[in-house]
Amino acid sequence: MRVNRILLSSALVVVALVIQVSVLARLHLPGAVPDLLLLTVLGLALVYGHVGGALVGFGAGLLADLAPPADHAAGRYALVLCVIGYLAGLVKPETGQLKSATGPMAVVVAAAVGSTLLYAGVGALVGDTAARHVGLGGLLFTSALYDLLLAPFVVPGIMALARRADNDPLAETGSATKATDISSGWLSGGTGLKIGSQRNGLRVKAARARMARAGRIKGVKRL
């Protein structure tokens, strides 16, 4: 990943995690907690693609695993967000622009349900049965609902910031300068050809004038 991608992704992930832990987790909503970190990973993955999405998801999940008040094994959420970021990056728009909101909303719902199932599955493998006591069905419904309601305010803004940071003004300036140099070279070459042709034409005209003048002088001498 490029430096501007790393800096932007790191800043957005840290801000999302702080808001989720300090604000969203304290709302005490029924069921799941709105996953702002997941939405941030989705927005970046839809711009950076599957490789960038997997890297951002792994870093964001690992940070969430280590940040308090995490009460699960480190690496568990990193695995979940890495897989989700990779899969979300596979549906990245080819042009980078979204034609409608239907696709991203479907990605959000699938990611919310998939991340909850994957998190619960990994927890079952390591002996964490908390999802059974809370109710997996309620977690799936509330996580999809909360993330779907929060997505229109998060995902488009994340994608816009990622696309803006992806544009390298130095590269654009360099390419523009190169194009200007090439066009100047073409213009200079064209001007040089014109000047050369004009000079050759003047020389030919001068030679013809000298020949005509010599012919007239010879004709006068003969007379």
Side-chain angles (χ1 to χ4, degrees), residues 42-192:
L42 291 179
L44 293 174
L46 289 174
V47 177
Y48 295 158
H50 59 283
V51 176
L55 293 176
V56 172
F58 179 81
L62 186 60
L63 185 62
D65 289 332
L66 300 177
D71 56 352
H72 54 267
R76 180 177 172 184
Y77 202 45
L79 174 62
V80 172
L81 287 187
C82 181
V83 174
I84 295 299
Y86 179 85
L87 295 178
L90 293 177
V91 297
K92 168 190 173 183
E94 295 181 358
T95 60
Q97 300 291 336
L98 297 176
K99 297 181 180 180
S100 65
T102 305
M105 292 299 103
V107 172
V108 169
V109 174
V113 174
S115 62
T116 304
L117 289 176
L118 187 57
Y119 187 82
V122 175
L125 292 177
V126 297
D128 185 2
T129 59
R132 298 179 182 176
H133 301 291
V134 177
L136 185 58
L139 287 177
L140 291 175
F141 176 76
T142 53
S143 62
L145 178 62
Y146 296 154
D147 292 346
L148 190 61
L149 294 176
L150 191 60
F153 305 99
V154 177
V155 176
I158 296 294
M159 295 183 66
L161 288 175
R163 283 196 297 265
R164 180 173 297 181
D166 235 12
N167 295 329
D168 190 356
L170 295 178
E172 293 179 358
T173 304
S175 61
T177 305
K178 185 177 180 181
T180 304
D181 293 339
I182 294 174
S183 61
S184 300
W186 279 105
L187 290 175
S188 299
T191 305

Side-chain angles (χ1 to χ4, degrees), residues 202-222:
L202 292 176
R203 290 176 182 176
V204 172
K205 290 181 179 179
R208 289 178 179 176
R210 287 196 297 270
M211 292 176 62
R213 190 179 304 109
R216 288 196 298 270
I217 293 173
K218 290 180 179 180
V220 171
K221 287 181 177 181
R222 289 177 182 177

